[in-house]
Amino acid sequence: MFNSKIPRPSGRGLPLNFLILILAGTGGWFVASADIPQSRLVDFDYEFLIEDIPVQARELRVWLPYLPETPYQEIQEVNIEPQESANVSYDKTYHNKILSYMITPPQNSSWKFNVRYRVKRSEYSNKHAPSRSLSREEDLLKYLQADRLVTMGPKVKAMAREITKGKTTTMDKARAIYDYVFQNISYDKTIPGWGNGDTERVCLLKAGNCTDFHSLFISLARSSGIPAKFVMGVPLANGKKEGEISGYHCWAEFYDEGLGWVPVDISEAWKNKTKQEYYFGTIGADRLELSVGRDIVLEPNANTEPLNYFLYPYVEVDGKKFGKVKTSFHFRDVNTGKEVAKL
């Protein structure tokens, strides 16, 4: 153990044969006030089991997202198992942190991996105050371009023009797009094809989950000249101190010239319509961020097309995708002395 953060690698990944400890003061729940954001301190386990690896396998390779450190997500401890052969790298486009393994030969027919984090997550709001760190112009260009499924074709651009007609500021345009998606898309996972974040499908069916809501928002924002990004994470259940996390949750951020990055969560607003105002510009401490962006190119180079989004482990055996992987997420609140008022 030592008191430092992981150094960023230059070129190649760095071996992780240690337990990382970042001492960052006390955590837990804090009472919400005008200047103290809602916060939550949790232990989060990212665990997966690879089974039925062929006896003759020569190489096992694994990639998984590594929780990022942000102004609203403070990583206090990380415990990686196994530590041997672990490396950290970053994708070249979005700079997502990636934990990877190359095990030659795998020898065992099954391998279990677990990364346990102690992380303090804070409410993130950027409605009214200028951001402390505004992005450089060149950093924004990638957030103005189409992705494979987050399209910007003639139909989407025409929709964007109509929705933002008469709006002159970035905030007003983004709010018009937010309201359009909120009012016209239904949260519905009964129709096959939901969850891929396919803008064209959402335009056709006007239904989907969080991935679909925010893909449409991003397409319309980018078509209006507003940089927008896709954020992937997991939910932390409100009202529970620990438990399994059954799925994922995603949201979006758009860039305002004066405020910087502004978060939106339209699917959560749709589920709780009393929070429509809240989720335009604010997201709570009820989630963890794992990665940013779409069409993720894994580093070191994986033998696969770019991933639609990056949440679950990607595994190869002898250079081919291997699907016998069971993933589970678990969280536990730490030192929950005072609960905040529900926003």
Side-chain angles (χ1 to χ4, degrees), residues 78-336:
V78 185
N79 187 10
I80 297 169
E81 297 178 2
Q83 297 175 1
E84 186 177 358
S85 301
N87 288 271
V88 168
S89 57
Y90 297 82
D91 83 87
K92 292 183 174 65
T93 303
Y94 301 103
H95 311 295
N96 288 304
K97 203 170 189 176
I98 301 171
L99 180 63
S100 64
Y101 291 84
M102 179 185 290
I103 301 170
T104 54
Q107 296 182 325
N108 301 325
S109 63
S110 64
W111 277 80
K112 185 177 182 179
F113 298 81
N114 183 63
V115 184
R116 168 168 286 187
Y117 301 88
R118 178 158 294 180
V119 52
K120 186 174 81 172
R121 179 76 191 191
S122 299
E123 180 186 67
Y124 171 29
S125 182
N126 201 7
K127 289 183 179 180
H128 309 296
S131 172
R132 293 181 179 178
S133 57
L134 300 183
S135 296
R136 295 175 300 174
E137 184 175 350
E138 57 268 29
D139 294 333
L140 297 174
L141 293 177
K142 59 178 169 280
Y143 298 115
L144 286 167
Q145 300 170 4
D147 299 309
R148 184 175 63 87
L149 293 178
V150 183
T151 57
M152 295 168 57
K155 179 180 178 181
V156 173
K157 290 182 178 179
M159 287 174 60
R161 285 193 298 271
E162 182 63 27
I163 293 166
T164 61
K165 187 176 181 179
K167 310 299 182 185
T168 57
T169 68
T170 295
M171 287 296 285
D172 286 345
K173 291 178 181 179
R175 182 57 195 252
I177 295 168
Y178 175 92
D179 288 342
Y180 172 85
V181 177
F182 176 85
Q183 293 163 5
N184 290 276
I185 309 301
S186 297
Y187 193 93
D188 186 342
K189 298 195 292 186
T190 65
I191 307 171
W194 62 268
N196 289 320
D198 184 339
T199 295
E200 299 299 324
R201 177 190 178 277
V202 183
C203 289
L204 178 64
L205 299 179
K206 298 193 182 315
N209 76 340
C210 57
T211 320
D212 306 306
F213 272 69
H214 296 108
S215 295
L216 177 58
F217 175 87
I218 292 167
S219 288
L220 292 170
R222 291 176 180 176
S223 296
S224 303
I226 303 171
K229 67 170 96 170
F230 178 87
V231 187
M232 174 58 74
V234 294
L236 301 174
N238 287 316
K240 292 180 64 176
K241 294 184 178 181
E242 66 177 305
E244 294 293 325
I245 301 172
S246 60
Y248 65 85
H249 185 58
C250 60
W251 55 99
E253 297 181 14
F254 69 90
Y255 188 80
D256 178 82
E257 302 85 351
L259 297 175
W261 289 104
V262 180
V264 297
D265 192 336
I266 316 172
S267 59
E268 285 301 291
W270 191 93
K271 293 177 188 178
N272 184 351
K273 294 179 172 54
T274 64
K275 288 193 172 183
Q276 181 182 0
E277 293 296 325
Y278 175 80
Y279 281 119
F280 181 79
T282 305
I283 53 176
D286 58 349
R287 66 197 66 202
L288 297 175
E289 177 180 327
L290 273 78
S291 65
V292 170
R294 303 286 291 271
D295 302 338
I296 307 297
V297 177
L298 296 177
E299 297 287 345
N301 291 336
N303 190 26
T304 182
E305 295 294 319
L307 301 183
N308 188 17
Y309 46 76
F310 193 28
L311 170 71
Y312 298 110
Y314 175 78
V315 178
E316 290 182 354
V317 172
D318 293 339
K320 296 181 179 180
K321 182 178 179 180
F322 191 74
K324 295 185 178 180
V325 183
K326 296 179 180 178
T327 306
S328 63
F329 304 137
H330 182 273
F331 81 96
R332 182 179 65 86
D333 283 336
V334 179
N335 296 331
T336 52

Side-chain angles (χ1 to χ4, degrees), residues 30-40 121-124 340:
F30 293 83
V31 177
S33 70
D35 56 354
I36 301 177
Q38 178 191 24
S39 298
R40 189 171 186 176
R121 179 76 191 191
S122 299
E123 180 186 67
Y124 171 29
V340 298

